[in-house]
Amino acid sequence: EVVQSRAEELKESQWSAAVAQAVWAPQRWLPVGRRLVEPGGAVYVLAAAPVDRGWLAGSAVVEQEIELVRPFDCARRFATRIRTPAES
C-alpha cells in the first residue's frame, strides 16, 4: 500500500517502509522515518549527498546506497535504504 500523507498524520510503527523526497534534510528525516516503520522496516533517503553514517541511531544500518546521475544536468544524487533494528 502506498500512502501519500504528512508524517505527523500517519500512525507510528505500522509501515514496512517510509520515503520522503526533498522534504527535510536527511538527518531530520531519519528519526521521523524510523518512528513510522515497523521493527525491521526500511527508511529511504533521497538526497544530493551520501548519508552520513553518524546520523544513524541505535543499530540502524545502511543496507544499500545507489548513486545516480541526472541526465539533464549531470548532478549526482543518492538513494539510500536504511534498515531499522528488528525486535528481539
Side-chain angles (χ1 to χ4, degrees), residues 17-73:
V19 63
Q21 179 181 9
V23 177
W24 294 314
Q27 62 270 36
R28 184 167 175 212
W29 162 241
L30 284 170
V32 173
R34 285 190 67 173
R35 282 197 315 272
L36 294 174
V37 299
E38 59 198 16
V43 177
Y44 290 84
V45 176
L46 308 175
V51 168
D52 182 327
R53 291 350 189 230
W55 297 335
L56 302 179
S59 57
V61 296
V62 171
E63 264 192 344
Q64 185 175 22
E65 188 165 68
I66 300 170
E67 182 178 352
L68 310 162
V69 178
R70 295 191 312 204
F72 60 90
D73 64 359

